[in-house]
């Protein structure tokens, strides 16, 4: 059995967290609730698989919890409660549209959180 090494740098963590925040906001706009734990875990694994990422269960859990904390910062802002507009941020199942203004805002906040949590280093 070959063990995979953990390969998320801060840029990848920011992208994963941004994706999770977007899907959390979509769930909240659609149902009034955050994603259930099982759905967040599934979203993390989908993103990691689609992007060739690998990280520990602890880091997956940490980023999943952080996604709600970050998403809460956007709740009071009008574009982030509109389900149709939120869907425009997602290009594919696991990809944000990095040219989208709203996605850029989310990624900027996520980048700050990741830098604060993991430092300015890349691992």
């Amino acid at each position: 059995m070959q063990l995979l090494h953990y390969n998320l740098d801060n840029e990848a963590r920011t992208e994963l967290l941004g994706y999770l925040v977007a899907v959390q906001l979509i769930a909240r706009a659609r149902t009034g609730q955050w994603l259930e734990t099982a759905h967040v875990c599934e979203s993390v694994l989908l993103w990691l698989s689609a992007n060739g990422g690998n990280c520990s269960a602890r880091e997956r859990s940490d980023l999943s919890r952080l996604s709600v904390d970050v998403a809460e910062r956007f709740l009071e802002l009008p574009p982030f409660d509109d389900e149709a507009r939120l869907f425009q941020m997602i290009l594919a199942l696991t990809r944000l549209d990095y040219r989208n203004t709203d996605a850029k805002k989310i990624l900027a906040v996520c980048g700050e959180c990741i830098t604060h949590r993991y430092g300015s280093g890349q691992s």
Side-chain angles (χ1 to χ4, degrees):
M1 178 172 101
Q2 182 181 11
L3 295 177
L4 297 174
H5 69 285
Y6 300 146
N7 62 359
L8 293 189
D9 58 14
N10 284 351
E11 183 178 346
R13 287 182 186 106
T14 298
E15 290 179 17
L16 172 54
L17 181 58
Y19 171 74
L20 294 175
V21 168
V23 296
Q24 288 282 15
L25 289 168
I26 289 168
R28 182 69 178 226
R30 176 179 280 173
T31 68
Q33 303 291 322
W34 298 119
L35 285 175
E36 294 180 17
T37 303
H39 293 135
V40 178
C41 292
E42 181 180 35
S43 295
V44 170
L45 294 174
L46 281 170
W47 189 94
L48 290 170
S49 177
N51 292 284
N54 189 30
C55 61
S56 68
R58 173 180 244 165
E59 187 169 8
R60 291 191 305 267
S61 176
D62 184 43
L63 291 171
S64 296
R65 282 191 308 277
L66 186 58
S67 71
V68 173
D69 295 341
V70 174
E72 285 178 337
R73 297 180 189 187
F74 291 94
L75 278 181
E76 301 302 319
L77 303 174
F80 299 101
D81 60 358
D82 180 346
E83 183 181 352
R85 185 159 175 184
L86 289 166
F87 269 115
Q88 292 175 357
M89 290 189 300
I90 298 186
L91 287 176
L93 185 59
T94 58
R95 262 314 209 228
L96 289 180
D97 180 355
Y98 300 115
R99 297 167 298 175
N100 180 288
T101 304
D102 297 331
K104 287 179 184 179
K105 290 176 186 174
I106 288 173
L107 289 168
V109 172
C110 291
E112 291 171 12
C113 290
I114 293 298
T115 298
H116 177 72
R117 189 174 228 99
Y118 295 95
S120 59
Q122 290 298 304
S123 59

